[in-house]
Amino acid sequence: MHGPLIDSLARQGVTRRTFLKYCATLASMMALPPSAGRAMAEAMAAASGGGQRPSVIWLPFQECTGCTESITRSHSPTIEGMIFDMISLDYQETLMAAAGHQAEEALHNAMKANAGKYLLIIDGSVATGLDGAYSCIAGKTNLDALKEAAPGAAAIIALGSCAAFGGLPNAKPNPTGAVAVTDIIKDKPVVNIPGCPPIPVVITGVLAHFLTFGSLPELDKLGRPKAFYGETIHDRCYRRPFYDQGKFAKTFDDAGARNGWCLFELGCKGPVTYNACATVKWNDGTSWPVESGHGCLGCSEPDFWDGGGFYKALSMPADPLKMATAATVAGAAAGVAVSFANRSKKSTAKAGHETTTLADLEKSEEQ
């Protein structure tokens, strides 16, 4: 495989082999067949080869810039490669060089030139109070900007928990009337990528899927990609064996905590939170909150801020193996039921999953 993208990545220190490995890993994480990794590599390489790069318009609303910060820390390929070699990022206030009237001109030119085809990314919630006056850009409310940009989009990505579910601005008493993108837009395909912030690999994975297949990946009932949000943090947590043994840290500095015991009693929301933190991790796979000794806050779930104290344990039994039977007999506590149901789903998924490897890609390339 050759082309401008491969040459560009090589100049950034990313080898062709590493790029293929990235595509294979991405396809595997998204539970796609082995051939999908190859298809992703070819599509992304082809997208960078001429003037056909998909237009992406990124509008920031009520947000803290954490979502942008997250994607700039994505890896293999780099964000620079993603932006300049695979897509045409025509508007993103934090990353673009233009400002003021030039930026607004770039936005409207992109919307006009790519009507019906561009991918619209929204991060931040939409303020609706006082007709949207709580959050404005260039004299225009976020609400009006969304209503103007959405009709011409092929699809919309609601990036981060604020755009997906309202997030922190939506927390009680919600003085700005903050809502999610899907509360406003009803006639366009919307994929939610929640998280505070969302995981970079999930963001690039959805973009790669759109580049490759021209569509969004399979979504769950909350509009999240099933490949990344199909299982709970708890299901994939490396501390799970301690949970099953009933071994829980009582404080953040006791012997249990030092031995890596389960953080459930310290308020970990892993059993009811769907995300890929435990497998994908952060900062190029370095670590994630639970591995760093802190429980999951449940930031990729709706209303996580108002969902109870971060350090208050869920209403589940502290000794799950003993209590699970009693709970089942009694009608099953919600958390235990979720836990066991997810374990069953995980076994089914594993049984039908076909792992993509670098060898698969290299072999198909030789044919």
Side-chain angles (χ1 to χ4, degrees):
M1 180 178 296
H2 302 283
L5 173 62
I6 304 302
D7 296 339
S8 176
L9 292 178
R11 289 193 295 272
Q12 300 174 50
V14 180
T15 67
R16 170 182 166 279
R17 184 181 180 85
T18 300
F19 174 63
L20 288 174
K21 184 178 180 180
Y22 164 79
C23 293
T25 303
L26 196 58
S28 181
M29 285 192 297
M30 300 183 77
L32 297 172
S35 59
R38 175 74 180 186
M40 280 186 170
E42 292 179 343
M44 286 192 279
S48 65
Q52 302 301 316
R53 291 181 300 170
S55 175
V56 175
I57 296 174
W58 183 329
L59 299 179
F61 292 162
Q62 280 195 130
E63 46 86 36
C64 65
T65 316
C67 298
T68 301
E69 174 75 11
S70 182
I71 196 172
T72 56
R73 294 180 184 276
S74 65
H75 52 86
S76 301
T78 64
I79 181 60
E80 291 82 2
M82 178 66 75
I83 290 177
F84 297 111
D85 297 326
M86 300 180 192
I87 64 173
S88 177
L89 187 59
D90 293 323
Y91 185 87
Q92 214 287 1
E93 294 174 2
T94 306
L95 301 177
M96 68 193 305
H101 294 295
Q102 290 179 329
E104 292 306 303
E105 184 179 358
L107 170 61
H108 288 95
N109 287 343
M111 290 169 54
K112 183 178 180 180
N114 303 284
K117 298 182 292 185
Y118 58 80
L119 188 64
L120 179 62
I121 298 178
I122 303 293
D123 69 322
S125 59
V126 186
T128 61
L130 297 179
D131 294 326
Y134 283 105
S135 184
C136 298
I137 298 172
K140 183 183 297 180
T141 68
N142 296 164
L143 181 61
D144 288 340
L146 177 60
K147 290 180 178 179
E148 180 183 14
I156 300 174
I157 294 178
L159 187 63
S161 290
C162 292
F165 304 131
L168 179 56
N170 178 260
K172 297 175 182 176
N174 189 7
T176 66
V179 299
V181 170
T182 50
D183 289 325
I184 304 297
I185 304 301
K186 304 292 186 181
D187 59 350
K188 288 287 178 180
V190 179
V191 56
N192 287 328
I193 305 180
C196 190
I199 298 175
V201 174
V202 177
I203 302 170
T204 54
V206 173
L207 287 173
H209 192 283
F210 185 79
L211 286 168
T212 304
F213 305 110
S215 63
L216 300 175
E218 185 180 6
L219 308 178
D220 68 8
K221 63 181 181 180
L222 294 179
R224 304 175 296 192
K226 281 187 176 179
F228 298 105
Y229 297 89
E231 293 184 328
T232 66
I233 296 288
H234 186 64
D235 280 330
R236 300 184 178 188
C237 182
Y238 76 103
R239 295 180 189 247
R240 175 61 183 270
F242 293 114
Y243 175 91
D244 290 339
Q245 296 171 35
K247 294 181 178 178
F248 302 98
K250 306 299 181 183
T251 68
F252 286 107
D253 59 352
D254 66 7
R258 290 194 293 273
N259 288 324
W261 288 7
C262 180
L263 302 172
F264 171 78
E265 291 189 2
L266 296 175
C268 181
K269 304 300 186 294
V272 295
T273 301
Y274 290 79
N275 208 336
C277 302
T279 50
V280 177
K281 301 187 179 181
W282 296 78
N283 298 324
D284 203 5
T286 301
S287 185
W288 59 296
V290 172
E291 188 172 349
S292 299
H294 195 285
C296 169
L297 298 181
C299 72
S300 58
E301 295 297 316
D303 303 321
F304 82 98
W305 192 265
D306 291 328
F310 289 159
Y311 302 102
K312 181 180 179 181
L314 295 168
S315 56
M316 290 173 59
D319 190 350
L321 288 185
K322 293 180 180 178
M323 295 296 291
T325 301
T328 301
V329 172
V336 173
V338 168
S339 175
F340 277 79
N342 287 334
R343 196 182 304 178
S344 175
K345 292 178 182 176
K346 182 178 181 180
S347 299
T348 303
K350 282 184 175 180
H353 184 64
E354 190 174 7
T355 303
T356 303
T357 66
L358 181 60
D360 293 329
L361 292 174
E362 298 286 18
K363 182 179 179 181
S364 63
E365 184 182 22
E366 294 170 356
Q367 294 176 343

